[in-house]
Amino acid sequence: MLNQSFFSENRSKLRNLLSNDSLMVLTANALLQKKSDEAYEFIQDSNFWYLTGLDLPQAWLVMDSQNEWLVLADHSNYQDIFEGQYNFAQISQISGINHILNYRQGLELLKDLGHKFKKIGLIKTNQSYDQQSGFWLNPASLNLQEIIMSLKLPLTQFNLNELLSGLRQIKSDEEVLAIQKAIDITEEAFLRIDHNLQNYKNENQLQADINDVFCRQASRHAFNPIVASGRNAVLPHYTVNNQPIKPNDLIVVDIGAEYNHYAADLSRTFSAVPIKGLKKAVYESVLEIHDQAIDILKPGLSYHDLEQRVFNLIFEALIRLKILTKRDKSLVKNYYPHAVSHFLGLDVHDVGNYNQTLKPGMIITIEPGFYLEKNGFGVRIEDDVLITANDCRLLSHYPYNLG
Ligand SMILES: [Mn+2]
């Protein structure tokens, strides 16, 4: 599955969306320095992988309406000796691309094609730093744009982002299978956690079990795992994962294995002891809202309506639980600061347009959560759901019973 024909088909789907006077260039991610002469683990750009299946850093994919070329970054002798040489046969075998060029030949090709076409499609970006997330972006995309500019080609640039999002947001049967496998591995980790739940003295011991399950399945974390006990779960994106677990703590575990580049994204809230009082009431409310959200999923429901309806359910639950004492919806964000759903695919927060209705083939998460700072605990329950022709299919099945 997800072999050469999948990648070739993705390229031809993208081509079919473009006019004959258009050229396209996409870049792989660049390797980034970690320390001295060591790089961070290489994670490929999802668009580049979707079109080529290749995990090579700094390569380019060049396409016109008829032809396709792969341009490889030059390897140093050092790389050849320590990391191995390019395997051209294997690169063609995986991607289905037969024209493989070195960097100099790639530049010549662009100069040549630049005078035969009117437009050039790129994944355009105009920033090197993501203000909201607070991190630097992979420099490959901006670097490619600068190289294209320096060639002074008489071409109008346009952005391929939306076209690729449109394709990637609808999953093929093989993509659904890959995500299903990632979910199955993630649920195996939940099973291990339940089995060892009485023994964990620290969040890192719990994470060690997740790492072990994923690693034995030749999988890795699709995103930084969240193992948040007690008060730590008040932060939806807590990733410290090294604090002591107290006997009565609720533990929010939000994790996802990656299989064949596709992500799972599941959350369960665990407790080593039976829960009661407010914790129990909150847990039951979150589960009920989770079930109600899944009940309304079907093609034609707008993303906005989904978010709005769940927001209202959460508001009413907060009133019922007397966590909110006045009917002021602006206060909900203090207890529920995120959305209930996002697209899932190659990226854990996958590409897709949120200003539209749900369509068959989309895979989304459903993840209501309550974060009670004053009471020092949080609850989140998250599942992954495929939108089908008539309604939806829950892809994750790990039980919700707790304590
Ligand atoms: Mn999620």
Side-chain angles (χ1 to χ4, degrees):
M1 70 184 202
L2 298 180
N3 53 19
Q4 192 190 100
S5 65
F6 173 73
F7 305 113
S8 298
E9 214 170 284
N10 291 342
R11 290 195 298 275
S12 69
K13 279 186 201 162
L14 179 61
R15 266 208 205 98
N16 290 340
L17 297 172
L18 294 170
S19 51
N20 283 339
D21 57 0
S22 296
L23 186 65
M24 273 172 282
V25 191
L26 287 104
T27 178
N29 268 342
L31 274 170
L32 297 170
Q33 183 192 28
K34 186 173 175 184
K35 272 189 172 185
S36 99
D37 62 351
E38 205 203 354
Y40 281 105
E41 179 189 14
F42 181 68
I43 308 283
Q44 185 56 287
D45 173 79
S46 295
N47 286 321
F48 188 86
W49 190 85
Y50 183 75
L51 296 170
T52 66
L54 298 170
D55 274 319
L56 300 171
Q58 278 127 253
W60 295 343
L61 169 67
V62 182
M63 293 198 287
D64 64 23
S65 56
Q66 306 292 328
N67 308 289
E68 43 197 28
W69 299 265
L70 203 62
V71 179
L72 301 185
D74 291 335
H75 256 191
S76 64
N77 277 339
Y78 175 89
Q79 285 174 296
D80 279 347
I81 293 164
F82 283 87
E83 295 154 20
Q85 299 182 353
Y86 283 125
N87 182 339
F88 296 101
Q90 191 187 47
I91 290 170
S92 289
Q93 167 62 29
I94 293 169
S95 63
I97 301 171
N98 296 315
H99 299 300
I100 301 178
L101 309 177
N102 64 28
Y103 184 71
R104 190 187 49 76
Q105 292 168 325
L107 287 182
E108 290 305 317
L109 174 74
L110 286 180
K111 279 190 225 164
D112 185 37
L113 293 175
H115 295 280
K116 296 180 180 158
F117 291 85
K118 290 206 173 92
K119 297 186 248 169
I120 185 164
L122 304 163
I123 297 292
K124 289 188 68 143
T125 172
N126 48 20
Q127 53 179 22
S128 48
Y129 186 76
D130 183 327
Q131 205 75 42
Q132 185 183 318
S133 308
F135 53 56
W136 294 90
L137 300 173
N138 196 284
S141 219
L142 211 50
N143 183 246
L144 173 63
Q145 263 172 248
E146 280 164 14
I147 291 169
I148 303 266
M149 291 293 277
S150 73
L151 293 176
K152 298 195 167 38
L153 308 175
L155 296 168
T156 313
Q157 293 189 4
F158 66 96
N159 203 339
L160 291 172
N161 239 331
E162 253 178 59
L163 295 177
L164 273 162
S165 300
L167 293 175
R168 280 175 53 193
Q169 71 181 3
I170 305 296
K171 271 69 183 177
S172 69
D173 292 348
E174 327 164 78
E175 289 176 290
V176 175
L177 283 178
I179 292 174
Q180 183 67 66
K181 179 74 182 166
I183 289 168
D184 294 348
I185 296 169
T186 308
E187 293 193 329
E188 196 185 318
F190 284 151
L191 191 65
R192 178 83 75 86
I193 294 166
D194 258 327
H195 188 256
N196 290 337
L197 196 53
Q198 306 298 328
N199 306 326
Y200 299 128
K201 300 277 179 280
N202 191 296
E203 293 162 354
N204 56 25
Q205 296 167 358
L206 194 158
Q207 193 190 320
D209 273 346
I210 305 166
N211 295 356
D212 184 69
V213 170
F214 286 8
C215 196
R216 283 174 197 281
Q217 298 275 6
S219 169
R220 61 185 176 190
H221 290 277
F223 55 92
N224 293 330
I226 295 166
V227 180
S229 64
R231 177 165 291 282
N232 299 329
V234 166
L235 289 178
H237 281 177
Y238 170 87
T239 53
V240 181
N241 300 2
N242 66 3
Q243 295 301 301
I245 296 176
K246 296 184 287 303
N248 291 322
D249 278 349
L250 288 184
I251 313 165
V252 171
V253 179
D254 182 344
I255 53 173
E258 185 183 281
Y259 184 78
N260 227 328
H261 290 72
Y262 284 84
D265 183 11
L266 301 177
S267 305
R268 289 292 183 272
T269 302
F270 295 89
S271 171
V273 296
I275 58 167
K276 46 185 197 280
L278 184 66
K279 279 183 185 167
K280 188 169 194 289
V282 167
Y283 187 87
E284 283 169 357
S285 284
V286 171
L287 185 55
E288 198 182 311
I289 293 164
H290 158 279
D291 292 349
Q292 285 173 304
I294 289 169
D295 274 348
I296 61 173
L297 293 181
K298 60 173 184 200
L301 176 72
S302 82
Y303 230 116
H304 183 261
D305 279 359
L306 168 64
E307 292 293 346
Q308 205 50 52
R309 287 168 73 169
V310 170
F311 182 90
N312 288 335
L313 291 172
I314 289 178
F315 176 62
E316 294 303 334
L318 288 170
I319 296 279
R320 213 167 45 239
L321 293 163
K322 300 193 170 58
I323 295 167
L324 266 188
T325 46
K326 48 181 175 176
R327 296 191 67 84
D328 178 353
K329 288 192 174 176
S330 73
L331 299 173
V332 171
K333 64 175 185 304
N334 298 336
Y335 307 97
Y336 165 68
H338 56 76
V340 79
S341 175
H342 57 81
F343 290 110
L344 179 69
L346 287 170
D347 297 338
V348 62
H349 297 155
D350 207 34
V351 291
N353 179 357
Y354 290 96
N355 294 313
Q356 65 176 334
T357 57
L358 297 177
K359 296 184 174 53
M362 288 178 172
I363 295 183
I364 65 169
T365 64
I366 289 293
E367 51 176 316
F370 282 13
Y371 308 89
L372 307 184
E373 197 175 358
K374 222 174 75 192
N375 309 88
F377 72 91
V379 172
R380 181 161 66 251
I381 298 172
E382 176 175 23
D383 277 308
D384 302 337
V385 189
L386 170 70
I387 306 301
T388 57
N390 298 313
D391 45 21
C392 72
R393 177 152 61 89
L394 202 54
L395 299 178
S396 41
H397 300 102
Y398 199 77
Y400 311 100
N401 48 7
L402 164 153

